[in-house]
Amino acid sequence: MQQNTVYVGLGGGSVLQLANREHPQTMSYILDTPDGKTVVIDGGWYGERYQGLEAQDTYKLLAERGKRVDLWLITHAHKDHFGCLQYLLKAVQPFDLDIRDLRFDFPPTEWIQGVENGSSFEPVCDFLSRVADAKIPVTKLTAGDVIDVGGITIEVLCDARNYAKYNSINDTSCALRVHFPKRDVLFLGDLGQERAANLLHECAHEKLRCDIVQMAHHGQNGADRAFYEVVQPKVCLYTAPDWLWDNDAGEGFNTGPWQTVVTRGWMEELGVQVSLPHAYGDYLLK
């Protein structure tokens, strides 16, 4: 997979955006901190139809870092976000990643079973069971948390506590603002339009303004234009493979049902300087 390096002035450390290795959309970031710690956000996809290529590549990258993960954060309970760790817990025996701190906030499994036709119920239950069996220490992500690790600070802007107000798992995404020495990066997971609108009311707008932002829900059908008008990004990270980036369902550019091209138009109108999608490979931000 081609790796592109983009200098954004983090002032130390880096953010690696891993593109999808398989067809489905996914989200996976590896952060190297200024003090040499490793942080994973989500990790990527795993589905039974595929061969775990995403997780295998993530595992190789973590092996290069000594197989130690100082902090692993999962934004929400969808398998294109937690599936990497689920696969590794199943496939790597004995499991040899040293995960010092795993954090997420999933709604109750009973609620998950009742939404989205229950499609996420079994994968979530399997994931939670494997985490417990591996005795990985888990901490609940909570809005207001400030996590210091290796010279960066991670601020949790929202969590899943109000899950009952929503009818999608996407709207239980935990939004994270990562403070590097000279720049911040805003991670939105799959935050939907309704939850993003509520976040605007709950959170001081200066905490949402950020030059670098991971676009909600892979850049389509997530947070709306009004939300990004507050964020005012200059660099947009799209976890969107080529077919989603171009809204191509098989008949060419902008012929599919997704809203990615619409979102891209908003960002151009808002003065975004550069957009970095999965469609063009991995991106290393420094």
Side-chain angles (χ1 to χ4, degrees):
M1 179 69 67
Q2 176 181 344
Q3 184 176 108
N4 309 280
T5 301
V6 180
Y7 294 94
V8 295
L10 295 178
S14 64
V15 176
L16 176 60
Q17 175 178 270
L18 293 170
N20 61 314
R21 270 56 174 162
E22 302 162 349
H23 179 74
Q25 62 194 27
T26 186
M27 175 168 154
S28 179
Y29 291 91
I30 298 177
L31 282 55
D32 291 313
T33 77
D35 296 343
K37 303 295 186 182
T38 298
V39 177
V40 176
I41 297 180
D42 284 351
W45 165 268
Y46 166 57
E48 293 292 346
R49 291 177 54 199
Y50 298 90
Q51 303 301 313
L53 298 178
E54 312 234 350
Q56 291 177 38
D57 275 5
T58 298
Y59 180 79
K60 292 174 185 175
L61 291 166
L62 295 178
E64 293 172 1
R65 292 161 171 79
K67 296 186 180 179
R68 170 171 165 160
V69 180
D70 296 281
L71 177 63
W72 195 313
L73 305 171
I74 299 175
T75 59
H76 65 290
H78 272 150
K79 63 184 178 181
D80 57 326
H81 295 258
F82 68 74
C84 169
L85 184 52
Q86 179 190 16
Y87 173 86
L88 294 177
L89 288 167
K90 175 181 179 180
V92 178
Q93 297 296 328
F95 185 73
D96 60 358
L97 289 181
D98 179 14
I99 301 175
R100 297 298 178 92
D101 191 358
L102 173 62
R103 302 194 187 202
F104 54 83
D105 185 22
F106 289 1
T109 53
E110 295 82 2
W111 181 83
I112 291 173
Q113 188 175 28
V115 299
E116 301 177 3
N117 297 317
S119 59
S120 293
F121 177 70
E122 289 187 7
V124 167
C125 290
D126 180 73
F127 170 70
L128 295 175
S129 176
R130 293 184 185 280
V131 167
D133 290 345
K135 296 182 172 56
I136 299 172
V138 177
T139 302
K140 184 177 180 179
L141 279 175
T142 303
D145 284 351
V146 177
I147 308 166
D148 294 312
V149 54
I152 66 172
T153 301
I154 302 170
E155 188 174 1
V156 183
L157 302 183
C158 67
D159 56 29
R161 73 181 67 181
N162 294 320
Y163 65 89
K165 294 172 58 176
Y166 304 105
N167 59 11
S168 77
I169 292 172
N170 285 341
D171 274 326
T172 66
S173 292
C174 296
L176 310 165
R177 182 165 183 147
V178 182
H179 304 274
F180 284 86
K182 292 187 177 180
R183 293 273 189 171
D184 292 353
V185 185
L186 181 63
F187 292 93
L188 298 175
D190 278 1
L191 210 66
Q193 182 175 341
E194 183 179 4
R195 186 66 186 92
N198 288 338
L199 184 58
L200 286 178
H201 294 290
E202 299 165 3
C203 188
H205 284 192
E206 57 266 24
K207 285 191 176 183
L208 295 174
R209 293 193 181 98
C210 199
D211 285 345
I212 307 167
V213 62
Q214 171 257 315
M215 302 295 287
H217 197 223
H218 312 275
Q220 69 93 27
N221 200 28
D224 63 10
R225 177 175 177 143
F227 183 86
Y228 292 116
E229 286 176 350
V230 172
V231 176
Q232 300 178 12
K234 299 302 180 187
V235 178
C236 293
L237 309 178
Y238 285 83
T239 56
D242 52 1
W243 55 268
L244 184 58
W245 175 244
D246 287 334
N247 185 30
D248 182 358
E251 297 183 3
F253 179 79
N254 208 22
T255 58
W258 306 289
Q259 301 299 307
T260 331
V261 174
V262 173
T263 305
R264 289 166 59 179
W266 296 342
M267 296 302 102
E268 290 174 6
E269 292 167 3
L270 293 175
V272 165
Q273 296 172 356
V274 63
S275 294
L276 311 177
H278 283 186
Y280 303 141
D282 297 342
Y283 280 95
L284 180 66
L285 281 67
K286 292 185 173 181

